Amino acid sequence: GTCWLWGEYATVTGNTANLPEYPVPPTPTPSPTPTVTATPTLAPPASVNNVTMDMACPNAIHSGTLKWEDKSNNEDGFNIYINGSKVASIPANSTSYIVASAPGGPFLPGIASIFEVEAFNAAGTAAKKSVTKGCP
């Protein structure tokens, strides 16, 4: 094989006139080192703000519209809770949910209910924000 040796480390003896000469190989071009790009870490969404419940209380059928301010830009949706039970998951960028109840449903006359909204995404959930409202 071919071997390159720095001249000062070699001792040459004998006739070197018939030795072949080889050109010095070109200096290799360094290949670029890939730049590592940091992958952003997904954070849980921000909590909603200003949760309100516009309650309608005709006769024994109670209903209403739950409203809030969307304070996040990375939610996948919102979970809606009534009295601690999850009743719905709705799409991102929503700011209201219509709550309907049949007679004897979750809205009993004279007893307030707790309505909560929670933003969520793949990283987790925001703190629930709530409002308490009832019908006479």
Side-chain angles (χ1 to χ4, degrees):
T2 303
C3 175
W4 297 100
L5 185 63
W6 191 257
E8 69 183 65
Y9 298 108
T11 302
V12 180
T13 59
N15 182 3
T16 59
N18 294 331
L19 291 175
E21 288 189 32
Y22 294 96
V24 176
T27 303
T29 304
S31 58
T33 303
T35 304
V36 176
T37 304
T39 303
T41 303
L42 181 64
S47 296
V48 300
N49 205 11
N50 296 325
V51 178
T52 62
M53 178 63 175
D54 297 329
M55 197 77 134
C57 304
N59 304 323
I61 300 174
H62 310 300
S63 63
T65 302
L66 184 62
K67 297 178 183 177
W68 61 90
E69 289 179 22
D70 180 359
K71 300 305 276 183
S72 182
N73 62 1
N74 68 340
E75 79 272 356
D76 291 337
F78 297 93
N79 292 322
I80 308 299
Y81 297 84
I82 300 175
N83 295 325
S85 295
K86 183 173 159 183
V87 297
S89 287
I90 60 175
N93 302 317
S94 300
T95 56
S96 66
Y97 176 75
I98 295 176
V99 179
S101 174
F107 314 120
L108 300 175
I111 299 175
S113 292
I114 300 170
F115 302 91
E116 296 173 295
V117 181
E118 166 189 78
F120 68 88
N121 67 15
T125 58
K128 294 177 188 172
K129 295 294 178 129
S130 66
V131 62
T132 301
K133 193 80 173 204
C135 286

Short mmCIF file of all heavy atoms in Angstrom, two decimals, residues 81-112:
data_model
loop_
_atom_site.label_atom_id
_atom_site.label_comp_id
_atom_site.label_asym_id
_atom_site.label_seq_id
_atom_site.Cartn_x
_atom_site.Cartn_y
_atom_site.Cartn_z
N TYR A 81 -66.90 21.48 32.77
CA TYR A 81 -67.31 20.71 33.95
C TYR A 81 -68.52 21.38 34.60
O TYR A 81 -68.60 22.61 34.65
CB TYR A 81 -66.18 20.67 34.99
CG TYR A 81 -64.94 19.96 34.52
CD1 TYR A 81 -63.98 20.63 33.76
CD2 TYR A 81 -64.72 18.64 34.85
CE1 TYR A 81 -62.83 19.99 33.33
CE2 TYR A 81 -63.56 17.98 34.43
CZ TYR A 81 -62.63 18.67 33.68
OH TYR A 81 -61.48 18.03 33.25
N ILE A 82 -69.43 20.57 35.07
CA ILE A 82 -70.55 21.07 35.87
C ILE A 82 -70.55 20.26 37.17
O ILE A 82 -70.62 19.02 37.14
CB ILE A 82 -71.90 20.92 35.14
CG1 ILE A 82 -71.88 21.72 33.83
CG2 ILE A 82 -73.05 21.38 36.04
CD1 ILE A 82 -73.11 21.56 32.97
N ASN A 83 -70.45 20.98 38.27
CA ASN A 83 -70.41 20.36 39.60
C ASN A 83 -69.37 19.26 39.69
O ASN A 83 -69.59 18.20 40.26
CB ASN A 83 -71.80 19.84 40.00
CG ASN A 83 -72.79 20.98 40.14
OD1 ASN A 83 -72.43 22.06 40.58
ND2 ASN A 83 -74.03 20.74 39.77
N GLY A 84 -68.20 19.49 39.08
CA GLY A 84 -67.09 18.57 39.17
C GLY A 84 -67.07 17.46 38.14
O GLY A 84 -66.08 16.73 38.04
N SER A 85 -68.14 17.30 37.37
CA SER A 85 -68.19 16.25 36.35
C SER A 85 -67.95 16.85 34.97
O SER A 85 -68.57 17.85 34.61
CB SER A 85 -69.55 15.56 36.35
OG SER A 85 -69.76 14.88 37.56
N LYS A 86 -67.07 16.20 34.22
CA LYS A 86 -66.79 16.66 32.86
C LYS A 86 -67.99 16.33 31.98
O LYS A 86 -68.42 15.18 31.91
CB LYS A 86 -65.54 15.97 32.31
CG LYS A 86 -65.12 16.42 30.94
CD LYS A 86 -63.78 15.79 30.62
CE LYS A 86 -63.50 15.73 29.15
NZ LYS A 86 -62.24 15.06 28.88
N VAL A 87 -68.54 17.36 31.32
CA VAL A 87 -69.73 17.16 30.48
C VAL A 87 -69.44 17.33 28.99
O VAL A 87 -70.24 16.90 28.16
CB VAL A 87 -70.88 18.11 30.90
CG1 VAL A 87 -71.34 17.81 32.31
CG2 VAL A 87 -70.47 19.57 30.77
N ALA A 88 -68.28 17.94 28.65
CA ALA A 88 -67.99 18.15 27.23
C ALA A 88 -66.53 18.52 27.04
O ALA A 88 -65.89 19.06 27.95
CB ALA A 88 -68.87 19.27 26.66
N SER A 89 -66.02 18.23 25.85
CA SER A 89 -64.74 18.75 25.35
C SER A 89 -65.06 19.43 24.03
O SER A 89 -65.67 18.81 23.16
CB SER A 89 -63.73 17.62 25.12
OG SER A 89 -63.26 17.12 26.34
N ILE A 90 -64.67 20.68 23.91
CA ILE A 90 -65.02 21.44 22.72
C ILE A 90 -63.73 21.95 22.05
O ILE A 90 -62.67 21.97 22.67
CB ILE A 90 -66.00 22.58 23.05
CG1 ILE A 90 -65.40 23.56 24.05
CG2 ILE A 90 -67.31 22.02 23.59
CD1 ILE A 90 -66.27 24.77 24.31
N PRO A 91 -63.82 22.37 20.78
CA PRO A 91 -62.62 22.72 20.02
C PRO A 91 -61.88 23.96 20.53
O PRO A 91 -62.43 24.79 21.25
CB PRO A 91 -63.15 22.99 18.61
CG PRO A 91 -64.54 22.47 18.57
CD PRO A 91 -65.03 22.43 19.98
N ALA A 92 -60.63 24.07 20.08
CA ALA A 92 -59.80 25.24 20.38
C ALA A 92 -60.48 26.51 19.86
O ALA A 92 -61.30 26.46 18.95
CB ALA A 92 -58.43 25.08 19.73
N ASN A 93 -60.12 27.62 20.47
CA ASN A 93 -60.59 28.96 20.11
C ASN A 93 -62.07 29.17 20.39
O ASN A 93 -62.65 30.15 19.94
CB ASN A 93 -60.26 29.29 18.65
CG ASN A 93 -58.78 29.20 18.38
OD1 ASN A 93 -57.98 29.66 19.18
ND2 ASN A 93 -58.41 28.59 17.28
N SER A 94 -62.70 28.26 21.12
CA SER A 94 -64.09 28.46 21.54
C SER A 94 -64.11 29.44 22.71
O SER A 94 -63.16 29.52 23.48
CB SER A 94 -64.72 27.14 21.99
OG SER A 94 -64.72 26.19 20.95
N THR A 95 -65.20 30.19 22.82
CA THR A 95 -65.33 31.12 23.95
C THR A 95 -66.70 31.01 24.62
O THR A 95 -67.05 31.85 25.44
CB THR A 95 -65.08 32.57 23.51
OG1 THR A 95 -65.98 32.89 22.45
CG2 THR A 95 -63.64 32.77 23.06
N SER A 96 -67.46 29.98 24.25
CA SER A 96 -68.75 29.79 24.92
C SER A 96 -69.21 28.35 24.74
O SER A 96 -68.75 27.63 23.86
CB SER A 96 -69.81 30.75 24.36
OG SER A 96 -70.09 30.44 23.01
N TYR A 97 -70.13 27.96 25.62
CA TYR A 97 -70.71 26.62 25.58
C TYR A 97 -72.15 26.73 26.06
O TYR A 97 -72.41 27.30 27.12
CB TYR A 97 -69.92 25.67 26.48
CG TYR A 97 -70.51 24.29 26.55
CD1 TYR A 97 -70.40 23.40 25.49
CD2 TYR A 97 -71.20 23.88 27.69
CE1 TYR A 97 -70.95 22.12 25.56
CE2 TYR A 97 -71.75 22.60 27.76
CZ TYR A 97 -71.62 21.73 26.70
OH TYR A 97 -72.17 20.48 26.76
N ILE A 98 -73.06 26.21 25.28
CA ILE A 98 -74.48 26.25 25.65
C ILE A 98 -74.78 25.05 26.54
O ILE A 98 -74.53 23.90 26.17
CB ILE A 98 -75.39 26.26 24.42
CG1 ILE A 98 -75.15 27.56 23.64
CG2 ILE A 98 -76.85 26.12 24.83
CD1 ILE A 98 -75.91 27.69 22.36
N VAL A 99 -75.27 25.34 27.73
CA VAL A 99 -75.59 24.31 28.71
C VAL A 99 -77.10 24.16 28.73
O VAL A 99 -77.83 25.12 28.98
CB VAL A 99 -75.09 24.71 30.11
CG1 VAL A 99 -75.44 23.65 31.14
CG2 VAL A 99 -73.59 24.96 30.09
N ALA A 100 -77.57 22.97 28.41
CA ALA A 100 -79.01 22.72 28.41
C ALA A 100 -79.32 21.69 29.49
O ALA A 100 -78.52 20.82 29.78
CB ALA A 100 -79.46 22.20 27.05
N SER A 101 -80.50 21.78 30.06
CA SER A 101 -80.89 20.85 31.11
C SER A 101 -82.35 20.51 30.98
O SER A 101 -83.18 21.36 30.70
CB SER A 101 -80.63 21.46 32.48
OG SER A 101 -81.13 20.61 33.48
N ALA A 102 -82.66 19.27 31.19
CA ALA A 102 -84.05 18.83 31.25
C ALA A 102 -84.54 19.01 32.68
O ALA A 102 -83.74 19.16 33.60
CB ALA A 102 -84.15 17.36 30.83
N PRO A 103 -85.85 18.97 32.90
CA PRO A 103 -86.33 19.06 34.28
C PRO A 103 -85.65 17.99 35.14
O PRO A 103 -85.48 16.85 34.72
CB PRO A 103 -87.82 18.79 34.15
CG PRO A 103 -88.15 19.15 32.74
CD PRO A 103 -86.92 18.84 31.94
N GLY A 104 -85.21 18.38 36.32
CA GLY A 104 -84.53 17.45 37.21
C GLY A 104 -83.07 17.24 36.85
O GLY A 104 -82.41 16.40 37.45
N GLY A 105 -82.54 18.03 35.90
CA GLY A 105 -81.14 17.92 35.48
C GLY A 105 -80.21 18.50 36.51
O GLY A 105 -80.58 18.61 37.68
N PRO A 106 -79.04 18.93 36.09
CA PRO A 106 -78.06 19.40 37.07
C PRO A 106 -78.43 20.72 37.73
O PRO A 106 -77.84 21.09 38.72
CB PRO A 106 -76.78 19.54 36.25
CG PRO A 106 -77.23 19.70 34.85
CD PRO A 106 -78.52 18.93 34.74
N PHE A 107 -79.41 21.45 37.20
CA PHE A 107 -79.75 22.76 37.76
C PHE A 107 -81.04 22.65 38.58
O PHE A 107 -82.13 22.81 38.05
CB PHE A 107 -79.93 23.79 36.66
CG PHE A 107 -78.83 23.75 35.64
CD1 PHE A 107 -79.10 23.50 34.32
CD2 PHE A 107 -77.52 23.94 36.01
CE1 PHE A 107 -78.10 23.45 33.38
CE2 PHE A 107 -76.50 23.89 35.08
CZ PHE A 107 -76.79 23.64 33.77
N LEU A 108 -80.89 22.39 39.82
CA LEU A 108 -82.06 22.26 40.68
C LEU A 108 -82.43 23.64 41.22
O LEU A 108 -81.56 24.42 41.59
CB LEU A 108 -81.76 21.30 41.83
CG LEU A 108 -81.38 19.88 41.40
CD1 LEU A 108 -80.98 19.06 42.60
CD2 LEU A 108 -82.51 19.23 40.64
N PRO A 109 -83.72 23.96 41.26
CA PRO A 109 -84.14 25.27 41.76
C PRO A 109 -83.60 25.50 43.17
O PRO A 109 -83.65 24.62 44.02
CB PRO A 109 -85.66 25.19 41.75
CG PRO A 109 -85.98 24.11 40.75
CD PRO A 109 -84.86 23.15 40.82
N GLY A 110 -83.07 26.69 43.37
CA GLY A 110 -82.59 27.08 44.68
C GLY A 110 -81.22 26.55 45.04
O GLY A 110 -80.69 26.85 46.10
N ILE A 111 -80.60 25.76 44.19
CA ILE A 111 -79.26 25.22 44.46
C ILE A 111 -78.31 25.68 43.35
O ILE A 111 -78.56 25.42 42.17
CB ILE A 111 -79.28 23.67 44.53
CG1 ILE A 111 -80.20 23.22 45.65
CG2 ILE A 111 -77.86 23.14 44.72
CD1 ILE A 111 -80.38 21.72 45.73
N ALA A 112 -77.26 26.36 43.74
CA ALA A 112 -76.28 26.86 42.77
C ALA A 112 -75.42 25.71 42.24
O ALA A 112 -75.17 24.73 42.95
CB ALA A 112 -75.40 27.92 43.40
#
